[in-house]
Amino acid sequence: MSEIVNILLAVLYLLVFPGFLFLFFYGLFCEYFDRKLYARMQNRVGPPLFQPFADFVKLLAKEDIIPEKADKGMFSIVPLFAFAGVLTAILYIPIWRTDAVLSFEGDLVVVLFLLTIPSFALFFAGWHSTNLFSQIGAVRTVTQLFGYEIPFFFACLAPALIMGTWSISGILSQTVIRPEVLILLILAFIIAVISLQAKLERVPFDAPEAETEIAGGSLVEYTGRRLAIFRLMFNIKMVICAALITALFLGGPVLFPAVPGPEFIGYLLGFVVFLLKTLFVVFLLTMMRTVFARVRIDQLLKFCYGWLIPLSIVQFLLLILVRSMGWFA
Amino acid sequence: MPKVTIPVGPQHPALKEPINFMVSVDGETIVDADMNLAYSHRGIEKLAESKTYLQNIYLVERICGICSHTHTTCFVQGVEELMGIEVPERGLYIRTLVAELERIHSHLLWTGVAGHEIGFDTLFMYTWRDRELALDLLEMITGNRVNYGINTIGGVRRNIKAGMKDQILKHIGKLEERVQYYTDMATTESTVLLRAEGVGHLPENEARKFCAVGPTARASNIPTDVRKEDPYAAYEELDFELITSDSCDILGRLIVRMQEMVESCKMARQLIENLPSGPIRAPMSREVPAGEVVSRYEAPRGECLYYVKSNGTFYPERLKVRASTYANWPAVVYSLKGYYIADIPLIIAAIDPCMSCTSRVAILDTKDGNERKVLDMDYLRTYGIKWYKEHGRGVRRR
Amino acid sequence: MVRTIGSMFPEAFRHLWKKRATVLYPFEKLELTYRYRGKLEFFDERCKGCKVCEEDCPSFAMEIKDEGKEQDGKTKFRRIYHTDRCLFCGQCAESCMSESIILTKEFELAESDKEKFTIESTYSTEIIAKEREVKEDG
Amino acid sequence: MDLVKWARIKSPWVLHLNTGGCNGCDIEVLAALMPRSDVERFGILLQGSPRHADLIVCQGPITKQMRDRVVRIYEQVPEPKFVMAIGSCACTAGVFQGCYNVLGGIDKAIPVDVYVPGCPPNPAAIVDGVMKLLTKLKES
């Protein structure tokens, strides 16, 4: 009996909450939030609330074209591959309480790994489209990957270092005990947000899909439902990355100071706090998109290796110093 | 990556108009560039021969939508010289005012487009929003936002009413403030500087060799400006400075354009404050005495040149247009080499290209795309003559 | 040279609370200046049949056809106006000797049926030749 | 009204295509995307690739050299697709009627759904054209 309940619960987690259905709507909402803020900062009105949903439905209903020269198998399987990758990652991130649906020691590495899948999917998508622009985009995607991934990993592993655990839920429960540690992680937070912008391939780090240079990069040949899945994947990736950063650096669904009350209200409150914190991260990402110009791919690499990586090493050294002095035992 | 050739255009998000660049790249670096013009070759010069001078004002206005006042003024000036008409002072002032407002709107447009090419959409949105101020003024004075249709042979068609002056001064003040803000912003923002500084380098001697004109030449430290060298309209009575920059790159072109906008605002203010009274146009006949004339005009993009030949009828015998962008193309191809793929749109945009002005040659693609045949000026001319013989002029000759 | 990062930040942030610059056009009225050149309107009763408008039109938007004499000595005319060819330059209104053409401010001319662009009218008038004159202001 | 139709009306993505005209209509189409009339409130986004577009916005008369390209771009756009002709040139070749290298309006090469006359049409007129196209779509 309890096994069946467990299986049903797992299906529920995977498909409804916090899995597919929640991510679908929250991802679309985040796109709306991003676009609306972007428009407001440009003194415009911006899209209506249902806009991302309308885009998604419309794309599903459009004609599906596979270019004659493209590798048909790869071309069609890659979007699903990327989509499945990001969807799995949510299960390890705490959303309404300090522990996630699934967790084990080292799930942080698994999540970080799952979040790199879309970049590779994008590379394959671009490469197998056999369009010149998409191939340039594909090569740039991978080039950029080597730039931002190292500082992003470093920044995300910094909390793990200071908390002494490699599980996201573990880090979060440690944070609840000692919230003052987060002050030490401000530098890592900034690095994580900047490299996240590069990971999501948005301005100023959108060289792989630069609209005015290579006409949209890897996705130039994609139409219809495959494009819809890719776009949804980007939105969900943004949500999950924001959630990860929230969990690692902002205390996830925990409200400081904690409000006493029944468990149910605590969960609900935690969920609301989680939403607000992720929206704050999305707001930071939108702000960056608004006020910067695109940098070239070589300048991006220079920036990552010249600034972000040294800074994240400085952060590491600081944390090691703090730990060895025994201030946080 | 091996050496590949990237086609940029004719439909490309960076280019709002049809043109095709075949850029050979080695990895991300450009080694060579080739250019196919004339996707928008229409045959205007030939068509002009079958339209009256009055109709031709509206035809040449539509050579280019951004610098439409340039083309009409340049044409009309030439015809006026042929006819020996003295344009009333007030007409010249209004003509100059519209020209300077056009320069402001064109440069703001360029700033926005350059921002768009480097992914800085916010700058794009802000500059185009503020450009609406200039367009509002133009709509108020002339009745249309683009293709103003204010010039006519012998003067201008619309007067400036007393009530308009305040609003013009008000909007000019606002524009000045905004231009100052963009200058400060664009010349200090690191992400812009990263993309603009040292990119598209065009040294002075090369710019002279390629006969660059306008802001492109002035950013390479060549002090050339028709408004100073050969003053037309009301420029002789205006006090303004010739802006040059010695940085020879895209940043220099940006700064030159920004400073020019400030100068234009200054000029517009002078024009409004010293607007003489009197008629705005001189009476004119429809017949133009035989003769030929060359007319020069400083467009927002550089020197524009018209040659008009008349044989004493209602119709011009020959009309030749050398638009400013045409003079700048060789400089673009030169300054593309050695930079990155990412710089292509910006370097092309830096001369403020206007493809519709430049189409002189048509390149015929065969169906399989392997063979190219260049149709040059002579071919097009004979082709045009043959075409008109077959199809008729389309205009009733009187 | 001074270098800053994100120098547009304050401006962009301020705009979050600023009033939008957008005119919600189909739902809000658009302000047009009084000189705005829109669709042409004809006062056929004033027309003197000189056909200057047809001659001066740069884009063949106006066709005026002579359809023979009527009993009372007036000439019958058929005027065909092609909105889709018109440049809205206003040269016809300027050239017109009898002020039978004016430019309205109507600009919402989009149609999906091309035939709706052709506006025809027939009228009869006496032909009176008149000298061309230069008009001051439009 | 079914969901798909609703979505189509609410999210027309635009491909900007100059087929050989002057710049006037181009900049007015872009001006329609700008803060003053901001067509993103109707869900309109400017797309770079023909593969992503629903609505081709053409400006200018069709020149001889551009015709094959226009047809090719039209074929690249996935179904359902719509074409808007912006400006008098795109409707009938306008002032360029009789140029030896001009074939005529856009409808000489590809089918057109909505014509927006004007030289150039005001951004508001372009918005009006889009609204008329969407209304037509709604009623079909």
Side-chain angles (χ1 to χ4, degrees):
Chain A
M1 191 60 202
S2 70
E3 252 177 37
I4 296 170
V5 170
N6 272 344
I7 290 168
L8 278 178
L9 213 58
V11 169
L12 194 75
Y13 281 147
L14 205 61
L15 290 183
V16 183
F17 186 87
F20 178 73
L21 212 63
F22 164 69
L23 279 181
F24 175 75
F25 284 107
Y26 193 48
L28 292 184
F29 177 75
C30 277
E31 190 196 336
Y32 160 76
F33 184 71
D34 171 52
R35 276 169 67 178
K36 186 80 180 176
L37 270 182
Y38 189 53
R40 286 300 292 132
M41 281 192 261
Q42 292 172 345
N43 213 350
R44 298 188 281 132
V45 173
L49 181 59
F50 53 77
Q51 191 56 53
F53 182 66
D55 288 347
F56 182 73
V57 174
K58 180 208 73 181
L59 281 175
L60 283 186
K62 285 217 53 133
E63 187 192 358
D64 203 17
I65 299 173
I66 300 179
E68 218 165 75
K69 280 185 187 162
D71 182 331
K72 285 174 193 61
M74 279 305 257
F75 191 81
S76 30
I77 199 84
V78 150
L80 288 173
F81 179 59
F83 192 61
V86 281
L87 270 188
T88 324
I90 192 68
L91 296 179
Y92 298 98
I93 296 172
I95 286 185
W96 67 93
R97 50 181 189 194
T98 50
D99 55 333
V101 175
L102 297 175
S103 84
F104 59 91
E105 190 61 30
D107 57 9
L108 177 58
V109 180
V110 173
V111 169
L112 288 177
F113 165 72
L114 286 173
L115 288 177
T116 57
I117 288 182
S119 302
F120 287 106
L122 215 55
F123 168 74
F124 287 124
W127 193 256
H128 290 288
S129 299
T130 58
N131 178 310
L132 204 55
F133 287 121
S134 66
Q135 285 185 342
I136 295 173
V139 172
R140 282 188 185 182
T141 307
V142 173
T143 319
Q144 182 156 320
L145 179 85
F146 292 114
Y148 65 76
E149 209 60 69
I150 302 166
F152 188 69
F153 268 52
F154 274 7
C156 289
L157 292 180
L161 187 74
I162 188 83
M163 307 295 184
T165 167
W166 285 61
S167 137
I168 301 171
S169 308
I171 290 172
L172 198 57
S173 41
Q174 288 284 315
T175 316
V176 178
I177 304 165
R178 303 176 307 197
E180 63 277 9
V181 183
L182 293 180
I183 297 163
L184 284 176
L185 294 170
I186 286 177
L187 186 62
F189 172 67
I190 293 168
I191 295 167
V193 169
I194 292 174
S195 44
L196 176 58
Q197 188 79 346
K199 198 178 176 68
L200 295 171
E201 296 181 359
R202 284 144 59 95
V203 178
F205 308 121
D206 71 332
E209 52 177 86
E211 178 96 2
T212 47
E213 291 160 22
I214 48 174
S218 299
L219 299 182
V220 84
E221 287 288 350
Y222 273 84
T223 55
R225 56 174 190 273
R226 296 197 179 86
L227 181 65
I229 291 175
F230 257 124
R231 283 175 60 92
L232 185 64
M233 188 273 289
F234 280 128
N235 293 337
I236 290 180
K237 188 179 166 190
M238 182 162 83
V239 169
I240 291 177
C241 290
L244 179 67
I245 286 191
T246 314
L248 292 180
F249 303 103
L250 299 176
V254 183
L255 187 68
F256 304 110
V259 183
E263 206 176 40
F264 175 72
I265 293 189
Y267 287 167
L268 203 67
L269 198 68
F271 182 59
V272 172
V273 169
F274 165 82
L275 291 187
L276 289 178
K277 282 178 180 171
T278 43
L279 286 181
F280 172 68
V281 175
V282 173
F283 170 73
L284 289 183
L285 296 176
T286 311
M287 207 71 211
M288 279 168 79
R289 175 159 99 104
T290 316
V291 298
F292 292 129
R294 180 191 308 132
V295 296
R296 273 201 313 262
I297 189 91
D298 57 316
Q299 289 164 342
L300 168 78
L301 290 182
K302 219 179 268 171
F303 175 69
C304 284
Y305 284 103
W307 285 95
L308 290 186
I309 294 178
L311 278 178
S312 47
I313 291 172
V314 167
Q315 170 79 60
F316 258 48
L317 290 177
L318 180 79
L319 293 181
I320 290 169
L321 187 75
V322 166
R323 264 189 84 103
S324 61
M325 298 296 273
W327 291 335
F328 292 105
Chain B
M1 248 167 108
K3 204 164 144 184
V4 282
T5 308
I6 308 175
V8 179
Q11 192 278 326
H12 189 273
L15 309 162
K16 301 299 171 214
E17 291 166 86
I19 187 176
N20 178 242
F21 281 88
M22 300 304 275
V23 186
S24 310
V25 292
D26 183 9
E28 287 258 337
T29 319
I30 302 165
V31 275
D32 201 6
D34 188 16
M35 184 169 62
N36 301 340
L37 286 173
Y39 281 93
S40 52
H41 176 84
R42 291 154 292 189
I44 290 175
E45 288 177 6
K46 190 74 197 156
L47 183 70
E49 291 165 19
S50 64
K51 285 192 188 292
T52 62
Y53 286 96
L54 200 63
Q55 288 173 327
N56 271 331
I57 299 173
Y58 302 105
L59 176 65
V60 296
E61 190 161 38
R62 278 146 188 93
I63 288 179
C64 168
I66 302 175
C67 41
S68 55
H69 192 69
T70 301
H71 288 278
T72 52
T73 314
C74 202
F75 174 71
V76 156
Q77 262 172 202
V79 176
E80 277 157 6
E81 204 175 311
L82 275 177
M83 293 167 94
I85 298 179
E86 194 75 30
V87 182
E89 194 85 323
R90 192 178 172 89
L92 286 181
Y93 266 69
I94 294 174
R95 207 178 259 180
T96 318
L97 176 69
V98 173
E100 288 310 315
L101 286 175
E102 184 187 74
R103 196 179 310 276
I104 295 171
H105 113 70
S106 174
H107 282 350
L108 271 177
L109 179 147
W110 178 85
T111 317
V113 170
H116 180 59
E117 307 294 17
I118 55 172
F120 201 168
D121 273 358
T122 312
L123 181 65
F124 188 31
M125 297 283 173
Y126 283 174
T127 47
W128 281 57
R129 181 196 65 196
D130 297 329
R131 180 179 153 264
E132 297 282 337
L133 288 174
L135 287 183
D136 281 349
L137 287 184
L138 285 168
E139 191 191 310
M140 186 179 72
I141 297 169
T142 68
N144 206 355
R145 289 157 53 91
V146 183
N147 295 344
Y148 323 108
I150 191 165
N151 274 325
T152 191
I153 298 164
V156 291
R157 289 167 60 197
R158 313 242 161 166
N159 207 340
I160 289 185
K161 298 256 161 92
M164 288 178 181
K165 286 186 183 176
D166 292 338
Q167 190 161 6
I168 294 175
L169 288 176
K170 204 176 108 196
H171 279 198
I172 292 284
K174 261 189 218 163
L175 277 170
E176 234 166 7
E177 193 186 299
R178 294 303 299 174
V179 167
Q180 199 53 51
Y181 172 75
Y182 294 129
T183 319
D184 294 346
M185 200 282 301
T187 49
T188 55
E189 168 68 39
S190 315
T191 44
V192 175
L193 290 177
L194 272 177
R195 295 301 300 274
E197 217 170 9
V199 174
H201 194 74
L202 182 71
E204 190 181 335
N205 57 333
E206 296 289 338
R208 278 192 198 281
K209 211 166 82 192
F210 291 126
C211 303
V213 293
T216 314
R218 290 198 281 274
S220 295
N221 211 10
I222 303 173
T224 163
D225 192 328
V226 185
R227 292 175 293 174
K228 280 276 183 210
E229 290 161 0
D230 181 13
Y232 54 91
Y235 283 109
E236 221 161 352
E237 291 141 50
L238 292 177
D239 169 39
F240 67 101
E241 271 167 49
L242 203 162
I243 311 285
T244 54
S245 161
D246 55 359
S247 65
C248 305
D249 55 4
I250 287 172
L251 187 67
R253 288 168 219 171
L254 178 80
I255 291 170
V256 164
R257 286 199 171 92
M258 291 291 189
Q259 299 288 327
E260 267 181 28
M261 273 193 271
V262 176
E263 290 298 313
S264 290
C265 290
K266 217 168 85 189
M267 271 187 260
R269 198 166 272 142
Q270 287 172 29
L271 285 163
I272 280 294
E273 276 159 8
N274 307 325
L275 196 66
S277 53
I280 54 166
R281 63 196 276 186
M284 61 115 187
S285 72
R286 300 194 170 211
E287 219 172 76
V288 178
E292 51 186 351
V293 71
V294 169
S295 165
R296 295 166 81 195
Y297 180 98
E298 181 72 20
R301 289 155 184 74
E303 183 185 340
C304 182
L305 207 104
Y306 265 65
Y307 167 78
V308 188
K309 189 176 176 193
S310 164
N311 53 5
T313 57
F314 293 112
Y315 305 90
E317 188 174 310
R318 177 83 173 95
L319 176 73
K320 163 81 190 142
V321 184
R322 206 295 315 267
S324 32
T325 313
Y326 195 56
N328 280 334
W329 280 126
V332 171
V333 174
Y334 171 83
S335 46
L336 269 177
K337 284 172 199 166
Y339 293 99
Y340 298 97
I341 296 177
D343 295 325
I344 298 174
L346 192 59
I347 294 175
I348 295 175
I351 65 156
D352 203 352
C354 176
M355 284 52 158
S356 44
C357 289
T358 61
S359 302
R360 294 294 173 279
V361 200
I363 290 144
L364 203 67
D365 273 337
T366 46
K367 280 270 188 268
D368 54 5
N370 292 327
E371 219 178 303
R372 281 229 164 80
K373 200 168 115 198
V374 177
L375 312 179
D376 59 4
M377 191 66 220
D378 292 329
Y379 178 85
L380 283 178
R381 198 164 165 77
T382 43
Y383 170 70
I385 292 166
K386 212 178 99 205
W387 194 89
Y388 280 111
K389 271 190 187 139
E390 279 167 18
H391 291 76
R393 288 263 155 179
V395 171
R396 295 171 306 122
R397 284 255 193 185
R398 284 196 296 183
Chain C
M1 200 176 278
V2 196
R3 274 166 187 267
T4 53
I5 281 198
S7 42
M8 212 167 216
F9 180 81
E11 181 86 358
F13 199 69
R14 212 172 53 232
H15 276 98
L16 273 179
W17 287 276
K18 243 182 156 178
K19 199 176 171 290
R20 58 184 158 72
T22 313
V23 180
L24 300 173
Y25 156 65
F27 317 109
E28 250 175 44
K29 217 175 142 266
L30 190 79
E31 299 272 333
L32 288 172
T33 52
Y34 78 100
R35 271 180 184 171
Y36 187 82
R37 302 197 299 257
K39 194 180 172 183
L40 303 184
E41 201 180 307
F42 304 102
F43 294 93
D44 288 341
E45 65 280 1
R46 290 190 206 157
C47 178
K48 300 286 178 257
C50 63
K51 294 190 188 174
V52 172
C53 46
E54 192 188 3
E55 252 161 45
D56 278 352
C57 181
S59 62
F60 317 113
M62 193 91 71
E63 286 174 58
I64 297 186
K65 287 188 177 148
D66 228 323
E67 301 228 309
K69 293 251 178 200
E70 291 208 20
Q71 284 100 351
D72 53 353
K74 286 183 175 173
T75 317
K76 200 174 164 198
F77 285 106
R78 189 152 68 95
R79 185 206 297 274
I80 309 165
Y81 168 50
H82 301 275
T83 336
D84 55 345
R85 293 183 191 169
C86 186
L87 303 179
F88 307 98
C89 60
Q91 182 61 46
C92 47
E94 200 178 295
S95 298
C96 183
M97 295 166 192
S98 51
E99 297 189 9
S100 66
I101 304 174
I102 59 160
L103 288 128
T104 62
K105 283 204 233 169
E106 193 187 336
F107 64 91
E108 294 148 315
L109 303 169
E111 270 327 324
S112 51
D113 186 5
K114 220 175 168 182
E115 276 163 23
K116 284 186 189 160
F117 288 126
T118 315
I119 297 164
E120 275 195 51
S121 60
T122 39
Y123 57 92
S124 46
T125 178
E126 271 178 279
I127 301 176
I128 301 169
K130 211 176 148 191
E131 279 298 300
R132 283 163 197 266
E133 57 183 44
V134 173
K135 260 175 249 160
E136 254 298 286
D137 194 11
Chain D
M1 196 162 50
D2 60 325
L3 191 66
V4 171
K5 202 172 178 185
W6 170 82
R8 261 174 209 159
I9 291 166
K10 291 297 175 193
S11 131
W13 288 355
V14 161
L15 178 78
H16 177 110
L17 177 64
N18 183 327
T19 59
C22 78
N23 261 321
C25 301
D26 294 64
I27 54 171
E28 290 298 79
V29 168
L30 284 182
L33 293 160
M34 292 302 132
R36 177 65 75 90
S37 51
D38 184 32
V39 287
E40 203 184 348
R41 63 204 156 99
F42 306 116
I44 295 175
L45 275 186
L46 194 64
Q47 292 292 324
S49 163
R51 294 275 193 223
H52 302 175
D54 307 294
L55 178 61
I56 311 175
V57 173
C58 296
Q59 304 97 26
I62 288 234
T63 59
K64 233 174 205 167
Q65 196 173 4
M66 200 62 194
R67 180 183 50 192
D68 291 346
R69 302 283 179 151
V70 172
V71 173
R72 205 162 105 194
I73 286 167
Y74 181 73
E75 280 163 0
Q76 279 175 350
V77 175
E79 292 283 352
K81 54 194 163 190
F82 311 97
V83 180
M84 254 174 100
I86 303 276
S88 296
C89 299
C91 296
T92 56
V95 74
F96 301 118
Q97 291 168 73
C99 276
Y100 60 81
N101 218 30
V102 168
L103 293 167
I106 302 288
D107 44 9
K108 289 277 189 300
I110 50 176
V112 177
D113 294 279
V114 164
Y115 300 88
V116 185
C119 193
N122 186 315
I126 296 170
V127 172
D128 175 60
V130 174
M131 294 309 277
K132 277 181 182 153
L133 175 75
L134 297 181
T135 328
K136 188 184 153 192
L137 202 65
K138 207 189 242 170
E139 283 158 5
S140 67

